[in-house]
Amino acid sequence: MKRFAGRAAAVVAALGIFVAAGAANNALAAGVYGSNLVVNGNAEAGPGSPDSGHVMKPPGWTTTGEFTAVQYGASGGFPDKKSPGPADRGKNFFAGGNVAVSTASQTISLAAAASDIAAGKVTYKFSAWLGGFESQDDNAKIMLIFKDAAGASVGQVQLGPVLAADRKSLTGFVSKTTTDTVPKGASSATITLTMTRASGSYNDGEADDVSLVLTKS
């Protein structure tokens, strides 16, 4: 009788562990949905440059060139609080610095939603505000690449570049958005912002409010 009771207790304990693990996995997957997965997508996590002569590398991004956070209203003709752009803008945005090309990238794990993605039940909304300076064609573009567990691309999409004509030759930003189903097999998403100078000395490719939001359908 004691031996049977011991086995029953072990089964109950194992079942409890299984249920707890399942609940933890469900909670982890739920945390992937409904919020922006981009780290510091609004350039607010660190200080912004007060002018065109300083580089303030934004936390959360791996950068090349002089990719920098810049304060709204910084001296040198940068966008300010009244320029076309996001209504919820904070203190800073992203810019390219004093080089021809600058980039910033980050990789986001989608592993917690793997089973839903495999079933084709996950959609994404990818968005950013992209802009530049007056009539110059300095520009920003942003690429989203979904990759499988081996690092191979299983799908990609690009927003921009936004040129002077798109901005009506105004200093400021234009909203760009796309929505689609996350490709089956995707286990991560790599986002790369590229700022390209077309004229002048400063790379006025600019961006703000970079966002990637997943929804379970």
Side-chain angles (χ1 to χ4, degrees):
M1 187 68 179
K2 289 181 180 179
R3 186 179 301 169
F4 177 79
R7 289 178 180 175
V11 171
V12 171
L15 182 60
I17 292 172
F18 177 78
V19 171
N25 288 337
N26 288 339
L28 185 61
V32 174
Y33 301 121
S35 60
N36 186 8
L37 299 179
V38 180
V39 176
N40 191 26
N42 57 7
E44 297 301 304
S49 174
D51 53 42
S52 62
H54 295 80
V55 175
M56 301 294 186
K57 292 187 176 181
W61 297 87
T62 299
T63 64
T64 67
E66 291 193 358
F67 192 96
T68 180
V70 178
Q71 297 174 12
Y72 277 99
S75 62
F78 289 104
D80 58 27
K81 295 292 185 180
K82 296 181 180 179
S83 300
D88 63 345
R89 73 191 73 183
K91 296 179 180 179
N92 307 322
F93 60 91
F94 302 113
N98 289 291
V99 292
V101 178
S102 290
T103 68
S105 62
Q106 60 179 272
T107 297
I108 301 163
S109 174
L110 306 179
S115 60
D116 293 334
I117 291 172
K121 295 181 178 180
V122 181
T123 59
Y124 70 88
K125 180 179 179 181
F126 181 47
S127 61
W129 286 81
L130 306 176
F133 174 72
E134 293 187 350
S135 61
Q136 294 182 3
D137 273 333
D138 294 11
N139 63 80
K141 64 182 179 182
I142 186 165
M143 177 78 75
L144 168 64
I145 302 177
F146 291 103
K147 298 181 180 180
D148 63 18
S153 173
V154 292
Q156 65 184 48
V157 64
Q158 178 177 301
L159 301 178
V162 168
L163 303 178
D166 303 307
R167 297 181 281 102
K168 299 180 180 179
S169 293
L170 297 174
T171 297
F173 303 86
V174 174
S175 177
K176 292 292 182 179
T177 303
T178 187
T179 301
D180 206 342
T181 301
V182 176
K184 293 182 179 181
S187 63
S188 67
T190 297
I191 293 173
T192 302
L193 256 172
T194 301
M195 313 306 204
T196 302
R197 183 178 65 199
S199 59
S201 58
Y202 193 85
N203 184 339
D204 286 295
E206 297 163 349
D208 200 357
D209 279 10
V210 179
S211 177
L212 176 64
V213 179
L214 303 187
T215 302
K216 183 178 178 179
S217 58

